[in-house]
Every structure is written in C-alpha cells, then in structure tokens.
Amino acid sequence: MDVAKDRLVPYAAALSLEAASSEIMNLFHVGKLLEVTLLDNYYIQLGGKGLCFKESKLLKAVSTGFAFPRLLPLFGNFNNAFTSILMLLKIKKILSAKLLNNQSISVALRAGLAGTAAFANHDLRCKELLSNEKEGRILFKVSGTDIAIWFSFSQNDLCRVDSGVMDYEPTAVFTFLSLKVARDAISGWFDHLGGPALGEATISGNLPLLDKIGYISRIAQKTIPSII
C-alpha cells in the first residue's frame, strides 16, 4: 500500500496505537486490536467501524491524550466504537504511568518501533537507506526483564514489529541497561552514539544495520507526536 507523503505522520501515529493495543492484548489477554484503516478525505479509522478521526484530530489525541472522534460513525456503530475507546484509554493509562514496569515499557517500545517501521516502509529517504539490505531481524531487549520486541524485514516484505519469543536468530541485538534507559530512548532522550559507550546499552550483530534503524527511528521520533 502506498501512503501519501502528507498522510504519513498521522498514519504512523495510528500504527503506533495499533501496536500498543496489540502488545496490551499479548500481555493481558484482553482488549481490542485498534487496526488502522486509511479512509478518504484525510480520515483514519481505528478498530473497525465506529471510531474515526480526522487526521489532525488523531495527532491531537496522540499528543494530548484527548480529541473528539466523528460522531456519526460513533453513534452508528456504538458498541464497536466503545470497545475501541476503552482500549485507547487503557493505552493512555499504561503509557502515562509514573511507575516504570515491564508492561509499560514493552507497550511503549513496541509502539515506538511501529512508528519507525511506518517510516521505513513509506518514507522515500528511509526506504532508500534500507534498499541494499536483503533482510534483517533486530531484537530489542531490556536487561533483567523478559521484554523482547522484534523489528524485521525482507526484500519481499514490509518492515514489521512483533514481540515475544521468535523461532529464528536475530541479525542484531540492542539491549537497554534498564527500564529507565529504555524509557529515555522511547521518549527521545537517549544518545544512540554515546549510550552504548557509557554502558547504558549493549549492541551486537550487524552494527551497520542497527545504525540505519537507529537513524530512521530518530527521524520518526522527531516527526511523530509522542504517545508517552
């Protein structure tokens, strides 16, 4: 699917919400997947019919935690919209929690990497950066926890983000020293060059590929409103 340049940022923000909902379902086995659908006239639908935002409103919801959806679809498909809204509220509660825990970092890390994947798939600069890479499977971990978020791609497939134990070896591994360091990275306060040198993270495997994904991640972070 091609995504117009002027729709990429809201689309990436929406995919971050979808990824957050997917991780919450993996962790707690409850909730609703906020599957993203791009609609005409700059609207985005989350979780099927019912919850629909103007793209500018969606960006406001991501950055401030609140925005009004379209009312006609909401009341026309109220039950489905209501369950989607409940998931949005759960995402907000988890990501805004002051106390760091494995669940909140896992959700936030997967959401952030989903935004990175959106840029890797649809931004021309980022696509070109990965054009010479045949495939890659990067594992992001946090030391002392079971957090495991995967960023994977191949020449015949889009970049994807998943979590948990996988049945293949990673091309590269990025391990954060602690939950706090991971949180700083997700929030854009982590020095990707100095961090490993200072012992805040360890890296192994295909380091040039890690550098490329890190560069794309920084572009996405600067452009997409933070959901935490």
Side-chain angles (χ1 to χ4, degrees):
M1 179 185 71
D2 292 327
V3 179
K5 184 178 180 179
D6 62 342
R7 303 193 72 179
L8 177 55
V9 172
Y11 181 60
L15 288 178
S16 294
L17 293 172
E18 179 183 317
S21 70
S22 181
E23 187 63 11
I24 288 171
M25 293 173 68
N26 284 348
L27 292 170
F28 303 105
H29 308 291
V30 294
K32 178 181 178 61
L33 180 65
L34 298 180
E35 185 175 0
V36 175
T37 305
L38 284 177
L39 304 177
D40 294 336
N41 299 318
Y42 296 93
Y43 286 105
I44 290 183
Q45 182 176 274
L46 297 176
K49 292 182 179 180
L51 188 59
C52 179
F53 290 93
K54 192 75 173 177
E55 290 180 356
S56 59
K57 296 286 188 180
L58 177 69
L59 292 177
K60 180 181 178 182
V62 170
S63 60
T64 67
F66 177 78
F68 283 107
R70 294 183 67 197
L71 295 181
L72 186 60
L74 187 149
F75 289 115
N77 304 273
F78 184 78
N79 289 339
N80 195 55
F82 183 70
T83 56
S84 297
I85 291 171
L86 288 179
M87 177 55 87
L88 279 179
L89 294 174
K90 190 168 186 65
I91 292 172
K92 179 182 178 182
K93 180 180 179 180
I94 289 174
L95 296 185
S96 62
K98 293 182 179 180
L99 182 63
L100 291 178
N101 57 63
N102 292 5
Q103 291 79 14
S104 64
I105 294 302
S106 186
V107 172
L109 183 56
R110 183 165 175 179
L113 286 172
T116 299
F119 269 70
N121 289 328
H122 302 292
D123 180 85
L124 292 179
R125 297 170 298 168
C126 299
K127 290 174 65 176
E128 179 63 25
L129 189 63
L130 292 176
S131 61
N132 294 327
E133 299 286 347
K134 293 183 179 180
E135 65 177 8
R137 297 180 293 271
I138 302 174
L139 172 61
F140 291 85
K141 304 193 300 179
V142 179
S143 181
T145 77
D146 59 356
I147 295 173
I149 309 295
W150 293 80
F151 184 104
S152 62
F153 65 92
S154 69
Q155 286 188 332
N156 299 319
D157 203 359
L158 293 174
C159 296
R160 300 182 184 279
V161 178
D162 211 328
S163 66
V165 178
M166 297 294 178
D167 59 357
Y168 46 71
E169 291 297 317
T171 308
V173 180
F174 194 108
T175 305
F176 296 104
L177 175 66
S178 66
L179 294 175
K180 182 183 181 304
V181 173
R183 175 83 176 207
D184 288 345
I186 297 162
S187 303
W189 295 104
F190 178 77
D191 184 345
H192 288 74
L193 295 177
L198 294 172
E200 295 178 339
T202 59
I203 53 178
S204 62
N206 187 334
L207 302 189
L209 177 58
L210 273 176
D211 285 341
K212 291 179 180 181
I213 299 302
Y215 176 76
I216 296 172
S217 176
R218 291 191 291 277
I219 291 176
Q221 279 184 330
K222 290 178 181 178
T223 311
I224 306 169
S226 176
I227 64 174
I228 61 174

